[in-house]
Amino acid sequence: MPRLDCAIWEFTLGCNLRCSHCGSVAGQPREHELDTKEGFRLCEALAETGCRDLAIMGGEPLMRDDFSAIARCAKDLGLNLCIVTNGTIVDKHIEDLRRLEPKVVGVSVDGMRENHDKIRGAGNWEKAIASIQLLKDNNIQTTMITTVSKINFKDLPSMGELIKGKGVNWQLQTAMPFGSFQRELTLSRDEFYATAMFIAKERVSNRFEDMPVVGAHCYGYNSKLLPGCVWSGCTAGISTVGITSDGGIVGCLSMGNDRYIEGNVREVHFRDIWTNPDAFAYTRRFKKEDLGENCRGCKHGLKCRGGCNSVSNALTGRFHNDPYCFHKIEEELIGL
């Protein structure tokens, strides 16, 4: 049975914001979202399957009245709890969060004040920054999560200065054209590469303790110039899994989470979906012939397996064909 390291649960699609880059088009809850008892059973099934980490996200997960009860259930079952929030209502839930002792809480901050509020609504930058400080004051490990696009690309240096030396992790990820996000605001390939150079520069210039900045799954493909670009293929259905708020099981929530459903926990036990030999065929049964035109013939193809399938699908309409590849960018744009 494949080892499940992390399950990412779209706890609800309900959200108090309407962010312009939202891949889930969150706002209203899905019809028939898992109720509290079903949430308990899901946590039990994940623990029985050997899952290590459970990331709870949304929408805005703190909006559900049963958030604390289900999160406590997961924690009591031995799951490491990770939470992703937009940072607007953390103050109302700080006591629950403190008692839950999560592994980490991620707060979305998408630029400095002007651009963050342009993306997420007026006044929300101050709330997010205040939430990060509140979490730190309560000794809760905190990550600032930034989704990078043409809107906020130039804010990165200022954002780094904002958190340097404060013990806050920083994760950069690239906005892709699905959900609410407009394709014309996607980073160009050279802008994408520049964000990777920014990450590399900050990791060289600062002690990791002062500026722990990392790139998400959309970064890391066989660069000759940038350090730490290790990629062993998409982990969807291999060691990670996504769960929609109504119980659908998908390899990755960022791949268009209603298009690649492998089953629903209301109908089939999670373990049986995870261990089904026919499930997640795009990763578990990958073969060289599956590589798309951007990756076909590449010497890294068999290991890399065409990069991030979410990015590949969003930009090219198919898997194993990611054009935002450091190796390819350096080869074509820099001549390496």
Side-chain angles (χ1 to χ4, degrees), residues 88-119:
T88 59
I89 54 175
V90 166
D91 57 335
K92 297 179 175 62
H93 298 271
I94 191 62
E95 288 304 312
D96 282 342
L97 291 171
R98 184 176 56 80
R99 285 192 291 266
L100 285 168
E101 298 180 51
K103 181 178 179 179
V104 65
V105 174
V107 179
S108 297
V109 181
D110 293 312
M112 297 301 286
R113 185 192 307 269
E114 179 180 352
N115 284 325
H116 178 94
D117 285 358
K118 179 179 180 180
I119 293 166

Coordinates of all heavy atoms in Angstrom, one line a residue, residues 88-119:
T88 N -8.4 36.3 8.9 CA -9.3 37.4 9.3 C -10.1 37.2 10.6 O -10.6 38.1 11.1 CB -10.4 37.6 8.1 OG1 -11.1 36.4 7.9 CG2 -9.7 38.0 6.8
I89 N -10.2 35.9 11.0 CA -11.0 35.6 12.2 C -10.2 34.8 13.2 O -10.7 34.2 14.1 CB -12.3 34.9 11.9 CG1 -12.1 33.7 11.1 CG2 -13.2 35.9 11.2 CD1 -13.4 32.9 10.8
V90 N -8.8 34.8 13.1 CA -8.0 34.0 14.0 C -8.2 34.5 15.5 O -8.2 33.7 16.4 CB -6.5 34.2 13.6 CG1 -5.6 33.7 14.7 CG2 -6.3 33.4 12.3
D91 N -8.4 35.8 15.6 CA -8.5 36.3 17.0 C -9.7 35.7 17.7 O -9.6 35.5 19.0 CB -8.6 37.9 17.0 CG -9.8 38.4 16.1 OD1 -10.2 37.7 15.2 OD2 -10.3 39.5 16.4
K92 N -10.7 35.3 17.0 CA -11.9 34.7 17.6 C -11.7 33.3 18.0 O -12.5 32.7 18.7 CB -13.1 34.9 16.7 CG -13.5 36.3 16.4 CD -14.7 36.4 15.4 CE -15.2 37.8 15.2 NZ -14.2 38.7 14.7
H93 N -10.6 32.7 17.5 CA -10.4 31.2 17.7 C -9.0 31.0 18.3 O -8.6 29.8 18.4 CB -10.5 30.5 16.3 CG -11.8 30.6 15.7 ND1 -12.8 29.7 15.9 CD2 -12.3 31.6 14.8 CE1 -13.9 30.1 15.2 NE2 -13.6 31.2 14.5
I94 N -8.4 32.0 18.8 CA -7.0 31.8 19.3 C -6.9 30.8 20.4 O -5.9 30.0 20.5 CB -6.3 33.1 19.6 CG1 -4.8 33.0 19.8 CG2 -7.0 33.8 20.8 CD1 -4.1 32.4 18.6
E95 N -7.9 30.8 21.3 CA -7.8 29.9 22.5 C -8.0 28.5 22.0 O -7.2 27.6 22.5 CB -8.9 30.2 23.5 CG -8.6 31.5 24.3 CD -7.3 31.5 25.0 OE1 -7.0 30.4 25.7 OE2 -6.5 32.4 24.9
D96 N -8.9 28.2 21.1 CA -9.0 26.9 20.5 C -7.7 26.4 19.8 O -7.2 25.3 20.0 CB -10.1 26.8 19.5 CG -11.5 26.7 20.1 OD1 -11.5 26.3 21.3 OD2 -12.5 27.0 19.5
L97 N -7.1 27.3 19.0 CA -5.9 27.0 18.3 C -4.7 26.7 19.3 O -3.9 25.8 19.1 CB -5.5 28.2 17.4 CG -6.4 28.4 16.2 CD1 -6.1 29.7 15.5 CD2 -6.3 27.2 15.2
R98 N -4.7 27.5 20.3 CA -3.6 27.3 21.3 C -3.7 25.9 22.0 O -2.8 25.2 22.2 CB -3.7 28.4 22.4 CG -2.5 28.4 23.4 CD -2.6 29.6 24.3 NE -3.9 29.6 25.0 CZ -4.2 28.9 26.1 NH1 -3.4 28.0 26.6 NH2 -5.4 29.0 26.6
R99 N -5.0 25.6 22.3 CA -5.2 24.3 23.0 C -5.0 23.1 22.0 O -4.5 22.0 22.4 CB -6.6 24.2 23.5 CG -6.8 25.0 24.8 CD -8.1 24.7 25.4 NE -9.3 25.1 24.7 CZ -9.9 26.3 24.9 NH1 -9.4 27.1 25.8 NH2 -10.9 26.7 24.1
L100 N -5.2 23.3 20.7 CA -5.0 22.2 19.7 C -3.5 22.0 19.5 O -3.2 20.9 19.0 CB -5.7 22.6 18.4 CG -7.2 22.5 18.4 CD1 -7.7 23.2 17.1 CD2 -7.6 21.0 18.4
E101 N -2.6 22.9 19.8 CA -1.2 22.8 19.5 C -0.9 22.2 18.1 O -0.3 21.2 18.0 CB -0.6 21.9 20.6 CG -0.7 22.4 22.0 CD -0.1 21.5 23.0 OE1 1.1 21.1 22.8 OE2 -0.7 21.1 24.0
P102 N -1.3 22.9 17.1 CA -1.1 22.5 15.7 C 0.4 22.5 15.4 O 1.2 23.2 16.0 CB -1.8 23.5 14.8 CG -1.9 24.7 15.7 CD -2.0 24.3 17.1
K103 N 0.8 21.6 14.4 CA 2.1 21.6 14.0 C 2.5 22.9 13.3 O 3.6 23.4 13.5 CB 2.3 20.5 12.9 CG 3.7 20.3 12.3 CD 3.7 19.1 11.4 CE 5.0 18.9 10.7 NZ 5.0 17.8 9.8
V104 N 1.6 23.5 12.6 CA 1.8 24.8 12.0 C 0.4 25.4 11.6 O -0.5 24.7 11.3 CB 2.7 24.7 10.8 CG1 2.1 23.9 9.7 CG2 3.1 26.1 10.3
V105 N 0.3 26.7 11.6 CA -0.8 27.4 11.1 C -0.3 28.3 9.9 O 0.6 29.1 10.1 CB -1.6 28.3 12.1 CG1 -2.7 29.1 11.5 CG2 -2.2 27.4 13.2
G106 N -0.9 28.2 8.8 CA -0.5 29.0 7.6 C -1.5 30.1 7.4 O -2.7 29.9 7.5
V107 N -1.0 31.3 7.3 CA -1.8 32.5 7.1 C -1.5 33.1 5.7 O -0.3 33.4 5.4 CB -1.6 33.6 8.2 CG1 -2.4 34.8 7.9 CG2 -1.8 33.0 9.5
S108 N -2.5 33.3 4.9 CA -2.3 33.8 3.5 C -2.1 35.3 3.6 O -2.9 36.1 4.1 CB -3.6 33.5 2.7 OG -3.8 32.1 2.6
V109 N -0.9 35.7 3.0 CA -0.6 37.1 2.9 C -0.1 37.3 1.4 O 1.0 36.8 1.1 CB 0.5 37.6 3.9 CG1 0.8 39.1 3.7 CG2 0.0 37.3 5.3
D110 N -0.9 38.0 0.6 CA -0.6 38.0 -0.8 C -0.1 39.4 -1.3 O -0.7 40.0 -2.1 CB -1.8 37.6 -1.6 CG -2.1 36.1 -1.4 OD1 -1.2 35.3 -1.5 OD2 -3.3 35.8 -1.1
G111 N 1.0 39.9 -0.6 CA 1.5 41.1 -1.0 C 1.6 42.1 0.2 O 1.2 41.8 1.3
M112 N 2.1 43.3 -0.1 CA 2.0 44.3 0.9 C 0.6 44.9 0.9 O -0.3 44.4 0.2 CB 3.0 45.4 0.6 CG 4.5 44.9 0.7 SD 4.9 44.3 2.3 CE 5.0 45.8 3.3
R113 N 0.3 45.8 1.8 CA -1.1 46.2 2.1 C -1.9 46.4 0.8 O -3.0 45.9 0.6 CB -1.1 47.5 2.9 CG -2.5 47.9 3.4 CD -2.5 49.3 4.0 NE -1.5 49.4 5.0 CZ -1.7 49.2 6.3 NH1 -2.9 48.8 6.7 NH2 -0.7 49.4 7.2
E114 N -1.4 47.3 -0.1 CA -2.3 47.7 -1.3 C -2.6 46.5 -2.1 O -3.8 46.3 -2.5 CB -1.5 48.7 -2.1 CG -2.3 49.1 -3.4 CD -1.5 50.2 -4.2 OE1 -0.5 50.6 -3.7 OE2 -2.0 50.5 -5.3
N115 N -1.7 45.6 -2.4 CA -1.9 44.5 -3.3 C -2.7 43.4 -2.6 O -3.5 42.7 -3.2 CB -0.6 44.0 -3.9 CG -0.1 44.9 -5.0 OD1 -0.9 45.5 -5.8 ND2 1.2 45.1 -5.2
H116 N -2.3 43.1 -1.4 CA -3.1 42.1 -0.6 C -4.6 42.5 -0.6 O -5.5 41.6 -0.8 CB -2.6 42.0 0.8 CG -3.3 41.0 1.6 ND1 -2.9 39.7 1.8 CD2 -4.4 41.1 2.4 CE1 -3.8 39.0 2.6 NE2 -4.7 39.9 3.0
D117 N -4.9 43.7 -0.2 CA -6.3 44.2 -0.2 C -6.9 44.2 -1.5 O -8.1 44.1 -1.6 CB -6.3 45.5 0.5 CG -6.1 45.4 2.1 OD1 -6.0 44.3 2.5 OD2 -6.1 46.5 2.7
K118 N -6.1 44.5 -2.6 CA -6.7 44.4 -3.9 C -7.2 43.0 -4.2 O -8.2 42.8 -4.9 CB -5.6 44.9 -4.9 CG -6.1 44.8 -6.4 CD -4.9 45.3 -7.3 CE -5.4 45.3 -8.8 NZ -4.3 45.8 -9.7
I119 N -6.4 42.0 -3.8 CA -6.8 40.6 -4.1 C -7.8 40.1 -3.1 O -8.8 39.4 -3.5 CB -5.5 39.7 -3.9 CG1 -4.5 40.1 -5.0 CG2 -5.8 38.2 -3.9 CD1 -3.1 39.5 -4.8

